[in-house]
Every structure is written in C-alpha cells, then in structure tokens.
Amino acid sequence: MKSNFFVPLAPRGLSTVSPPPPWHYAGDFMIIDFWARPEAVAAVLPEELQVDVKAEGHAQAYFIDWQFTGQHDELLDPARYQYREFFILVDAQFNGKPVAFCPYIFVDNDAAIARGLAQGFPKRYGSIYQTRLFAANGPASPKLVPGSRFGASASAAGQRIARGTVALEKAVTDPSALASRPTINLRHFPRLAAGQWERPAVHELVESVMDNFTVADAWMGKGELALPECENEEVSDLAPVRCGNGYRMSVSYSVTDLKTLVDHSVK
Amino acid sequence: MKSNFFVPLAPRGLSTVSPPPPWHYAGDFMIIDFWARPEAVAAVLPEELQVDVKAEGHAQAYFIDWQFTGQHDELLDPARYQYREFFILVDAQFNGKPVAFCPYIFVDNDAAIARGLAQGFPKRYGSIYQTRLFAANGPASPKLVPGSRFGASASAAGQRIARGTVALEKAVTDPSALASRPTINLRHFPRLAAGQWERPAVHELVESVMDNFTVADAWMGKGELALPECENEEVSDLAPVRCGNGYRMSVSYSVTDLKTLVDHSVK
Amino acid sequence: MKSNFFVPLAPRGLSTVSPPPPWHYAGDFMIIDFWARPEAVAAVLPEELQVDVKAEGHAQAYFIDWQFTGQHDELLDPARYQYREFFILVDAQFNGKPVAFCPYIFVDNDAAIARGLAQGFPKRYGSIYQTRLFAANGPASPKLVPGSRFGASASAAGQRIARGTVALEKAVTDPSALASRPTINLRHFPRLAAGQWERPAVHELVESVMDNFTVADAWMGKGELALPECENEEVSDLAPVRCGNGYRMSVSYSVTDLKTLVDHSVK
Amino acid sequence: MKSNFFVPLAPRGLSTVSPPPPWHYAGDFMIIDFWARPEAVAAVLPEELQVDVKAEGHAQAYFIDWQFTGQHDELLDPARYQYREFFILVDAQFNGKPVAFCPYIFVDNDAAIARGLAQGFPKRYGSIYQTRLFAANGPASPKLVPGSRFGASASAAGQRIARGTVALEKAVTDPSALASRPTINLRHFPRLAAGQWERPAVHELVESVMDNFTVADAWMGKGELALPECENEEVSDLAPVRCGNGYRMSVSYSVTDLKTLVDHSVK
C-alpha cells in the first residue's frame, strides 16, 4: 500500500486531493449565536448524542475565510488550497457533558471536503462569502471599531441557504467569552455492495482535536442570521427563533489527531 | 443509526450530498485511446494489480457530460445533480485477467464526488467541457457525419490538465468494438487519529458493476489527447506517447452494487 | 485603430473576449409562457416602448444551453465559448407594432456577456442549468414523448432567481405556433466623466436580427415558472400571476447585423 | 431615459449589474515588476500611445483581492460585489509623458467587468487567488516580516495565465517608492450593424482618476512572475525576460471621474 493519506494515491503524492496531516489553518471568523426550535435541533442529532435541554435550541453559525497549509508551502498555492466555509453547530450532550454537533457544513474547495470527511464533517460544496477587513482605510472596508458591520452569505447549488450580519460593539477582552464546547462529528463512509447499504464501513462518533488554537482581534456585538427555505434542503428547519451575539475574529490552529468516542462501524 | 447512505445524515434526507442507490446515469462520452510510457502506467497501479505488459502503456481518456438521477426526479434539478467528468483508465491485470484501473478522475459536482468515493473513484473537483451536439443544424453544432470534430478539456484549480479532440470517421456498427475491460478502483478512507495515518479505515480493491449499460449513436474516428505539465500535478506523467482511436457516443447505465476483490481495510 | 471588434484589442486577436461577427449559435431551449402583473411589465419598459394592453402582462422565460462559434472553430473550445443563459421577454409595442423587450438576462460566460452588450442584451453573470436529453435510453434522460418533464433553474450571486419546468404533451407540427415577436433591446454604454453620468455614450433602441433561424425537435406542453423574491433583486417583480404553455426545442441561428430603431446616444 | 448608469436599467435600480458612481475600493495588492520583450510591449499599445524606449519593456503585474462598495452598503453583500483581479500595466508614453497602459485584465465578478468597461479596462472573466494575511499567528499565515512569501495565480477558461510570488524584504518607508504612472485605458464599445463593425460607437483614450488613494502596510522585496503559454491566448507574449521587485500592500481609493485624452469614437 502506498503511503498517501487521501486519494488519488498518486505516485509522487502531488495529485492527491490534499496532503496528509499535519494540517494548519488560519482564518477570519464570523460567528452568530442563535436559537432554533429545540425539536429541530433534536432531529439533527445522531443517536449517540442527547438533547441539551437547558440550551433551549442554542446553536451557532460560522462563516469562515480559510487559508490552509500542509508542510510544503500549500499557502503559496491559494487557487488550490484557500477556501471559504459555512457551518452550523448545535448544542447537545454526550454522556452528560456539553458538546456541539455539526449537522451541516459547506465549503468551496475539494481539498477541504476531503479533510472534512476524514474528520467527520459532513461537507458539501457551497459558495460562501464574508465582508473583509483591509488595512487601508476608506469607505470600502469596515474597521474594528464599535458600529462596524460585516455581512456573510452561503449558497448551495444556486440557492441561498444562509445570510448573516455582525455589528461590532466591543473588543473581547476576556477570552473565556469565546470558550466553546468540544466539536463532535460523525465520521461516516458507506458500503455500496448490494445488501450492505445500511451497514456503513465507517460510522464513528468523534471529537475534533485542535492544537495551538490562537485567537486575535476578537470583537463581539449583535448577530443576525437567516436560514431561508430552499427547495429540497432542510437547513432551514434550524431557522432562528431568535439571534444573539455576533463575533468577528481571526483564528489559527493545527490538526494532527482525532478522538473516537463511539465506533459503530460495521465490520 | 439513521438510514441515510451519505452524509450529512439529514433528518428528511433532503440535504444529504447525494441520494442513496440506485443511481441512474445518462451521458455523452468522448473517449480517446492513447499509449503512455509503460513505466508511468506501472507507477499508478496499486500493489494488488499487475502491469499488463502486452498493453504497452495503453490507456483511455474519458470526457463525459453526465445527467444523474436517483428515485426522486433528481434529473429535474440539474443545478444540483448534472455534472461533467474527466478520467483516465489504464490497462492492467488482476490475477491474470485484463482490467482497467482509474488513477485520476475529476468532476464539477459534489454529489458526484460523494458517489465516486463510495465506488472507489479517486475524485477531485475540476472544470470539464466538451463540444455538444444539437438537433438544429447550423455552423455552431457538429453533426454525426464523417469529418465532424468534437473538442474537450479538463482543468483543476485553474490549470489545464487535459485537452482532447475526436474527428469522426464512421458509425460504430459492431458493438464489440466498444467492449471495455472491467473497471477496477481503490475504495479508500483514511484514519486521522494520531499514529493511525497509515492504517486506512477502508482500503479495498473493487470492481465497478454497471447495470443496463446502453450505447447509442456511437461513432469512431481519430483521437488526439494532450496532458500538459502542471505545477504540483502528476497527471502529465501519463502524457501520450501516441494517440489512437477517438470515440463519441451516448451511454446510460445504473449502479446498485459493487464487487470487492481484495479487502485491505485495517480493522 | 486596430481591427478588433471587442476589447482587449489584442495584437493577434486571440485574447479578445469574443471574436467579431459573424456569430453562430446552436442551443437547446426551454421556454415558458407566463403572465406577470401588467404594471410590473410596464415598469421595465424603456420610454421608447409602449405597453401592449391586449397582452395583459404576457411574458416568456427562456432557459438555453448554448454552443457558440465564430469562424475559427470556437465550438471546439467549449471551456471558453459554450454557455448557459436565462432571460425574460415581455410583450410591448413599438409604434403600434407588437414587439418583445428583454429586461433581464443572465449568462455564465464572459464572451456571451460581451456579445450581448453589443446587441443591447443587459447581461449579468449567472448560473443556469436545464435537464438534458441524451440519445441513450434510461431513467436518467427524458425522451421526446408525451409526459416527459424537463427542469431548469437560474441563480445570480448565489440566489435562485428562477425555477421552471416543462411537461411535454405533443410535438409542434405547425411551426407558426412558435412564431415570436421581434426582440427589442436597449444598447447602452455609460459615460464615467464627472457630470456626464446621465449622458450615456450609447443609448439606442435596437431590434435583433437573426439569420438562418432553424428549429428542430420542437415539443410543447405545460409550463411552470417561479421567480422567487431575492435580496436586492427585482426580477421577482415580474413573478407569474399564471403560467401557460411550455416549449422544448433545439434552435440555431447566426448574427451579423443589428437594426437601430431610435438613437438616443448623447453626442 | 431612466437614471440608471448601467444595464439592466431596472425600475428600482436593484438588479442593475453595478450601482452608479461613486465607487469605493479597498484591496490587498501583490505587484511584481518585470521586463517583457520591448517589441511585445509595443505590440499591445494603441496607436495613440508611443513606446517608452527607456523603459526597455518594463511592466507590472497586479494581483488584487478587492472589496467594493457604492453608497448602499454593498460591502455587506460580498457574494455579489467582492472580487479578485489580475492585470498587467506596460510602460508607454503619451505626448512625451510617461504613462502605463493596461492591455489585459481579468476579474471574477460581473459588477467589476461592467465598471471596468466604463473605465476602459478591457476586462475578461478569470479566476484569481493570492495568499492572504490573517491576524492570528500560525503556520498557515505569512507575517509582515522579512522572508515571508506570498503566492498568486490567475486563470482564464481553465488555463493558467499567470503565476507570481513575492518574498518580503523590508517595509516601504518612503512612499515615493510606490509612485506609479498615470493609468491609461482604451474605452471601447463596438457597433454591430452590418458594415459598421470597424466603426466603434466608443473609442477613447482615457486616463484613470483615483481619489483618496491610501496605502497601508506596504512591503517590498523580490518578485517572480511567469506568464505561461496558453492555447489561443497571447498574454504570454509579454512573458518576463527578467523580474524585479515585488510589493505587497493594502490600498483604498474611490472613483468618480474619468479624463478623456483622445476621442476617436465614430459619430
């Protein structure tokens, strides 16, 4: 067996969809707190997780402009490795512990889809954008000051699945305000052989492991989110009943590991 | 466990990246026979396959305009399910039997990536186009007559990885002229846990199973193919030493099964 | 002055956005008759046109898969010249004569934007798809038989601006059933100099001229169209009050001329 | 005549391809100095400009990540208005004065194409990317320190037309190091009427006017640029004989005017 991590298992490893770990990320985040209908949150949880009753349907929407690099200067090849992402995390419990589960995630890059599937993120292809910050002052760039606004949107197959805005109020001086729950995913890979469709080759509840998590220029304020109804999409089942804080910050971290919580893979 | 085949395991199955099998396909094919350097073909084979010495590096390039449907009129949602594909098959042997192996494949649709991974096709995202045939006569459409030409190209991350043309000479009246070898893939899904990167959760040599394979309007003639050198891509290692026949036809088939030949998945 | 028709005025004419006329087109059409609110139709007409009162808001939506060629085998370079289009024509009158005016049009190709601007089509970039017909029978392709259905959609900047279906009932045997009104456009090119923004350099009412208009495989049946409300888009102001016939056919024609009806360009 | 600046002349001005001026821009720039063959530079100049003999073929390549806004918070709708750009400026002379002329420019956004055409930039659609800078430290983001590297690329219709890198050496403390020549464009809009193809409706030599030009975080170092040969593209005729400095900076400015130098429009 060749040593490649991902397909294609190319002889020189260049045409592989993404390099193997370690994976390094830097990005600009827009995060919006919201509350969905609790029964809609319950409906997206895998059976291994329990509803977090006290969360009352709390969830978060993330819009991220990402830059990725492996160990070979992939950050210098942005056409292939830079990408944008939208995802939702819903509050849940695992063995009585508060966790966050990712039911939906969209990216605009195939290397990111591949890494995501390995991590258990259920990635689909989408088109995602957020307002950017530039160092040169002027009307076309917001600043990190109270009252600045940032907008974001996500679309899949030509339908707008999410629209968000964050209006800044203050810098986040207490980093504990940004503490988040462990991110729980379902790693899943099907079997196609006739009669085996309900016996996935991989079906594991996993916890994301992030190293060297770094936050910079974190601001918070008011968040607004819409998850519009779309034909043959159910992301809107999680449409906000109400929205809460919005955050805008830069983040970096690395990924070299994954923790399996429950393994239901069918041998 | 929910009954969904693919992620996301959405409650109503609508937001899943692709519906479960059965999968039905119809498409327009441009196929170009070519011969690569035999050592380049040998380099892309997995260890379970052997070089087909008599083939002398023979391979085929496929450009396909696909339409997909499952069981819920997915063909009426072309923004989500219609797609284009480019792939290469190289001649090989498995236990002394002639087979064809797919080292590289590119599609412009995430549902097609997901189904492909389940089948063992090592799909990446690409941008693929081929000359189309229209029923209305005029200078902008070729006809199915000797001398008509069709062009095709494939790109990945903004680099042109393949360029092909087919010049028609005659209709294919003997369908055995189109007989092809069994298509062999590597189904592969990695493990991300530290220390497990070289122990894939899924690593199986599989044979594609196609039902109700139907061909219409098959023509053949002269094929030309280029696989240009690209930065950090190795598809061009298979660049043609010489090209042979070119084919243009319409094809349909269904997929409901997959045959495992060798299972090297690490338990 | 160089002889190029379009910018860039490249020395060898290769890097020009589109070749000069003659322009040849072949395409598959889905057309849906519908009636918008008459005041919404009136609102999109330029002052040189009058409301066609008897039309009662009649309009047509077109989804087209196009192939283009100039005189240098551009049809063999589909990555650059093949494209998809969605547009609306509304009934109107010019000097008492029934005409059709194009208020909105979207294509997925810059060469098509350039040619459209020269013709007066107010083209924007969009993402357009329609169900295709393939010669090989099977569940993934409709056939030209009663009951077959075709779907189409158009999106702009990630928002779904149109969704249509056509259900076939019968072949069109009387070509006069397909007769259409002359297509009227506004050719418009602004001035950017301060103080000149309301004095366009080009502002002409023009009539499209199509040579060798050919129709093949025309079928008609029932059409359905939705023009959903989108943020900061007003295409939905023309949303159907009711829908009528739907058509599916192949068309080819050439363009080598344009007829100016009224020239309001500011000298 | 309606007051819209661009087509479509939509009743409420929302569906217009881009809002009218004033136009505000903020962006991250990668600029690479290079020298093309002087005869290749001469070949792209319009007849109204003269070769700048002392420049010896000097030119600049620009890769820009742009954010645009008009007067209605367009920066909050990045899916529609944020974009990326690649262009080349070549040294020339106009009436003995040193100027820079733009022979080729590519953007990934239709609003930017429209504004560009009004300014005389010969815009085509392309796919452009550059390495980004993020506030959070880590391996996936360069920093503004000596030795940091940034990569960029541009593609058109699936072909890689440009690849560049900038390696930082020092902050630019003397802003005069960034002084640039006036940017000269050809505003050009054709006539399609038979017999009029060589008599453009608009053909003016114009000079760009930029207000409130602001630079921040400017660094310079070594630049590298490749303009690879592509099928039916002539950008590579300007391929570097040698490369010089590279720059990385943030820039903002506004556009509300344009200066006509020579008007060859055919009345």
Side-chain angles (χ1 to χ4, degrees):
Chain A
M1 188 186 323
K2 287 173 191 144
S3 66
N4 302 52
F5 186 82
F6 281 122
V7 293
L9 303 182
R12 296 188 278 140
L14 300 175
S15 280
T16 298
V17 65
S18 172
W23 300 329
H24 307 292
Y25 298 87
D28 284 340
F29 280 49
M30 276 180 57
I31 310 174
I32 299 162
D33 276 315
F34 69 101
W35 284 261
R37 291 178 302 109
E39 59 272 30
V41 170
V44 298
L45 295 183
E47 60 173 346
E48 296 85 355
L49 296 182
Q50 299 82 44
V51 170
D52 185 339
V53 177
K54 283 187 255 179
E56 299 180 335
H58 178 256
Q60 289 187 309
Y62 286 73
F63 299 89
I64 309 179
D65 273 18
W66 278 123
Q67 191 156 268
F68 163 82
T69 202
Q71 296 185 287
H72 296 91
D73 284 333
E74 285 82 358
L75 79 169
L76 300 182
D77 192 358
R80 186 156 169 194
Y81 293 114
Q82 205 178 86
Y83 67 107
R84 288 154 163 170
E85 185 169 82
F86 167 71
F87 63 93
I88 291 174
L89 293 180
V90 297
D91 286 3
Q93 288 205 333
F94 175 68
N95 291 346
K97 186 179 79 164
V99 298
F101 175 74
C102 177
Y104 302 115
I105 183 167
F106 298 82
V107 291
D108 63 1
N109 175 271
D110 61 347
I113 287 178
R115 290 191 307 271
L117 294 179
Q119 293 176 282
F121 283 105
K123 288 192 179 177
R124 288 175 49 192
Y125 198 87
S127 174
I128 302 100
Y129 293 89
Q130 68 173 264
T131 303
R132 290 180 56 175
L133 194 68
F134 293 90
N137 278 339
S141 177
K143 281 179 267 205
L144 291 180
V145 297
S148 279
R149 286 188 299 154
F150 293 78
S153 63
S155 298
Q159 295 191 101
R160 175 67 43 89
I161 54 171
R163 183 75 168 106
T165 57
V166 170
L168 302 186
E169 292 174 356
K170 59 183 179 184
V172 177
T173 50
D174 176 7
S176 73
L178 303 176
S180 60
R181 296 167 170 224
T183 301
I184 305 300
N185 286 318
L186 262 187
R187 246 174 72 91
H188 180 94
F189 195 72
R191 275 199 176 84
L192 176 56
Q196 308 281 315
W197 301 347
E198 296 296 326
R199 305 182 67 243
V202 177
H203 190 83
E204 303 173 66
L205 197 75
V206 295
E207 180 178 333
S208 282
V209 179
M210 289 176 282
D211 306 325
N212 303 318
F213 194 93
T214 304
V215 174
D217 291 351
W219 278 68
M220 63 183 295
K222 184 174 169 44
E224 294 286 350
L225 179 75
L227 300 175
E229 283 192 32
C230 294
E231 182 186 6
N232 286 328
E233 294 286 359
E234 55 203 291
V235 177
S236 63
D237 290 356
L238 293 171
V241 175
R242 63 188 174 91
C243 298
N245 289 332
Y247 302 86
R248 202 273 174 192
M249 67 191 78
S250 293
V251 170
S252 68
Y253 59 77
S254 299
V255 171
T256 61
D257 197 2
L258 184 69
K259 186 175 165 189
T260 297
L261 302 179
V262 183
D263 190 349
H264 280 163
S265 304
V266 178
K267 305 302 178 190
Chain B
M1 185 187 322
K2 286 175 191 143
S3 65
N4 302 52
F5 186 84
F6 281 123
V7 292
L9 303 182
R12 295 189 278 142
L14 300 175
S15 280
T16 298
V17 66
S18 172
W23 299 330
H24 307 292
Y25 298 88
D28 283 340
F29 279 50
M30 276 180 58
I31 310 174
I32 300 163
D33 276 315
F34 70 101
W35 284 261
R37 291 179 303 108
E39 59 272 30
V41 170
V44 298
L45 296 183
E47 60 173 345
E48 297 84 355
L49 296 182
Q50 300 82 45
V51 170
D52 184 340
V53 178
K54 284 187 253 178
E56 298 180 335
H58 178 256
Q60 289 187 309
Y62 286 73
F63 298 89
I64 308 179
D65 273 19
W66 278 123
Q67 191 156 268
F68 163 82
T69 201
Q71 296 186 287
H72 295 91
D73 284 333
E74 285 82 358
L75 79 170
L76 300 183
D77 192 357
R80 186 156 169 196
Y81 292 114
Q82 205 177 86
Y83 67 106
R84 288 153 163 172
E85 186 168 81
F86 167 72
F87 63 93
I88 291 174
L89 294 181
V90 298
D91 286 3
Q93 288 206 332
F94 176 67
N95 291 347
K97 187 180 76 164
V99 297
F101 176 74
C102 177
Y104 302 114
I105 183 166
F106 299 82
V107 291
D108 64 0
N109 174 272
D110 60 348
I113 288 178
R115 289 191 307 271
L117 293 178
Q119 294 175 281
F121 283 105
K123 288 193 179 178
R124 289 175 49 194
Y125 198 86
S127 174
I128 302 99
Y129 293 89
Q130 68 173 262
T131 303
R132 288 180 58 176
L133 193 67
F134 293 90
N137 278 337
S141 177
K143 281 180 268 206
L144 292 180
V145 297
S148 279
R149 286 187 299 154
F150 293 77
S153 63
S155 298
Q159 296 191 99
R160 175 69 41 90
I161 53 171
R163 184 75 168 106
T165 56
V166 170
L168 303 187
E169 293 174 357
K170 58 182 179 184
V172 177
T173 50
D174 175 7
S176 72
L178 304 175
S180 59
R181 297 166 169 225
T183 301
I184 306 300
N185 286 318
L186 262 186
R187 245 173 72 90
H188 179 94
F189 195 73
R191 275 198 176 83
L192 177 55
Q196 308 281 315
W197 301 346
E198 296 295 328
R199 305 183 66 244
V202 176
H203 191 82
E204 303 172 67
L205 197 76
V206 295
E207 180 178 333
S208 282
V209 179
M210 289 176 283
D211 306 325
N212 303 318
F213 194 92
T214 304
V215 174
D217 290 351
W219 278 67
M220 64 183 295
K222 185 175 169 45
E224 294 286 351
L225 179 75
L227 300 175
E229 283 192 33
C230 294
E231 183 186 6
N232 285 328
E233 296 284 359
E234 54 203 290
V235 177
S236 62
D237 290 357
L238 294 170
V241 176
R242 63 186 173 94
C243 298
N245 289 330
Y247 302 86
R248 203 273 175 192
M249 68 191 78
S250 292
V251 170
S252 68
Y253 59 77
S254 299
V255 171
T256 61
D257 197 2
L258 185 70
K259 186 175 164 189
T260 297
L261 302 179
V262 183
D263 190 349
H264 280 162
S265 304
V266 179
K267 307 301 177 189
Chain C
M1 187 186 321
K2 287 175 191 141
S3 65
N4 301 53
F5 186 83
F6 282 123
V7 292
L9 303 182
R12 295 188 280 142
L14 300 175
S15 280
T16 299
V17 65
S18 172
W23 300 329
H24 307 292
Y25 298 88
D28 284 340
F29 279 50
M30 274 180 58
I31 310 174
I32 299 163
D33 276 315
F34 69 100
W35 284 261
R37 291 179 302 109
E39 59 272 30
V41 170
V44 298
L45 297 183
E47 61 173 346
E48 297 83 356
L49 296 183
Q50 300 82 44
V51 170
D52 184 340
V53 178
K54 284 188 251 177
E56 298 180 335
H58 178 256
Q60 289 187 308
Y62 287 72
F63 298 90
I64 308 179
D65 273 19
W66 277 123
Q67 191 156 270
F68 163 83
T69 202
Q71 296 186 287
H72 296 90
D73 284 332
E74 285 82 357
L75 79 170
L76 300 183
D77 192 358
R80 186 157 170 194
Y81 293 114
Q82 204 178 85
Y83 67 107
R84 287 155 163 169
E85 186 169 80
F86 166 71
F87 63 93
I88 291 173
L89 293 181
V90 297
D91 286 3
Q93 288 205 333
F94 175 68
N95 290 346
K97 185 179 76 165
V99 297
F101 176 74
C102 178
Y104 301 115
I105 183 167
F106 299 82
V107 291
D108 63 1
N109 173 273
D110 60 348
I113 288 179
R115 289 191 307 271
L117 293 179
Q119 294 175 281
F121 283 105
K123 289 193 179 179
R124 289 174 51 193
Y125 197 86
S127 174
I128 302 99
Y129 293 89
Q130 68 172 264
T131 304
R132 288 179 58 175
L133 193 68
F134 293 90
N137 278 339
S141 177
K143 281 179 268 207
L144 291 180
V145 297
S148 279
R149 285 188 299 154
F150 294 78
S153 62
S155 298
Q159 295 192 99
R160 174 68 41 90
I161 53 171
R163 183 74 167 109
T165 57
V166 170
L168 303 187
E169 292 174 357
K170 59 182 178 183
V172 177
T173 49
D174 176 7
S176 73
L178 304 175
S180 61
R181 298 167 169 224
T183 300
I184 306 300
N185 287 317
L186 262 186
R187 244 173 73 91
H188 180 95
F189 195 73
R191 275 198 176 83
L192 176 56
Q196 308 280 316
W197 301 346
E198 297 295 327
R199 304 183 67 244
V202 177
H203 190 83
E204 303 172 65
L205 197 75
V206 295
E207 180 178 333
S208 282
V209 179
M210 290 176 283
D211 306 325
N212 303 319
F213 193 94
T214 304
V215 174
D217 291 350
W219 278 68
M220 63 183 295
K222 184 175 170 46
E224 294 286 350
L225 179 75
L227 300 174
E229 283 191 32
C230 294
E231 183 186 5
N232 286 328
E233 294 286 359
E234 53 203 291
V235 177
S236 62
D237 291 356
L238 293 170
V241 176
R242 64 187 173 92
C243 298
N245 289 331
Y247 301 86
R248 203 272 176 194
M249 69 191 78
S250 292
V251 170
S252 68
Y253 60 76
S254 298
V255 171
T256 61
D257 197 2
L258 185 70
K259 186 175 164 189
T260 297
L261 303 179
V262 183
D263 190 349
H264 280 163
S265 304
V266 179
K267 307 300 177 189
Chain D
M1 186 185 324
K2 288 177 190 140
S3 65
N4 301 51
F5 186 83
F6 281 123
V7 292
L9 303 182
R12 295 188 278 141
L14 300 175
S15 280
T16 298
V17 65
S18 172
W23 299 329
H24 307 292
Y25 298 88
D28 283 341
F29 280 50
M30 274 180 59
I31 309 174
I32 300 163
D33 276 315
F34 69 100
W35 284 262
R37 291 178 303 110
E39 59 272 29
V41 170
V44 297
L45 296 182
E47 62 173 344
E48 296 84 354
L49 297 182
Q50 299 81 46
V51 170
D52 185 339
V53 177
K54 284 187 253 177
E56 298 180 336
H58 179 256
Q60 289 186 309
Y62 287 72
F63 298 89
I64 308 179
D65 274 17
W66 278 123
Q67 191 156 268
F68 164 82
T69 202
Q71 296 186 287
H72 296 90
D73 284 332
E74 285 82 359
L75 79 170
L76 300 183
D77 192 358
R80 185 157 169 193
Y81 292 114
Q82 205 177 84
Y83 67 106
R84 289 155 162 168
E85 186 169 80
F86 167 71
F87 63 94
I88 291 173
L89 293 181
V90 298
D91 286 4
Q93 288 205 333
F94 175 68
N95 291 345
K97 185 179 77 165
V99 298
F101 176 74
C102 177
Y104 301 115
I105 183 167
F106 298 82
V107 292
D108 64 0
N109 175 271
D110 60 348
I113 287 179
R115 290 191 307 272
L117 293 179
Q119 293 175 283
F121 283 105
K123 288 192 179 179
R124 288 175 50 192
Y125 198 87
S127 173
I128 303 99
Y129 293 89
Q130 68 174 262
T131 303
R132 290 179 56 175
L133 193 67
F134 293 91
N137 278 339
S141 177
K143 282 179 269 207
L144 292 180
V145 297
S148 279
R149 286 188 299 155
F150 293 77
S153 63
S155 298
Q159 295 191 101
R160 175 68 42 89
I161 53 172
R163 183 75 168 107
T165 57
V166 170
L168 302 187
E169 293 174 356
K170 59 182 178 183
V172 177
T173 49
D174 176 7
S176 73
L178 303 176
S180 60
R181 297 167 169 225
T183 301
I184 306 299
N185 286 318
L186 261 187
R187 245 173 71 91
H188 179 94
F189 196 72
R191 275 198 176 85
L192 177 55
Q196 308 280 314
W197 300 347
E198 296 295 327
R199 304 183 66 244
V202 177
H203 191 85
E204 304 173 65
L205 197 76
V206 295
E207 180 177 334
S208 282
V209 179
M210 289 175 283
D211 306 326
N212 302 318
F213 194 93
T214 304
V215 173
D217 290 350
W219 278 67
M220 64 182 294
K222 184 173 170 47
E224 293 287 350
L225 178 75
L227 301 174
E229 283 192 32
C230 295
E231 183 187 5
N232 286 327
E233 295 285 359
E234 54 204 291
V235 177
S236 62
D237 290 356
L238 294 170
V241 176
R242 63 187 173 91
C243 297
N245 289 330
Y247 302 86
R248 202 274 176 192
M249 67 191 78
S250 294
V251 170
S252 67
Y253 59 77
S254 299
V255 171
T256 60
D257 197 1
L258 185 70
K259 185 175 165 188
T260 297
L261 303 179
V262 182
D263 190 349
H264 280 163
S265 305
V266 178
K267 307 302 178 190

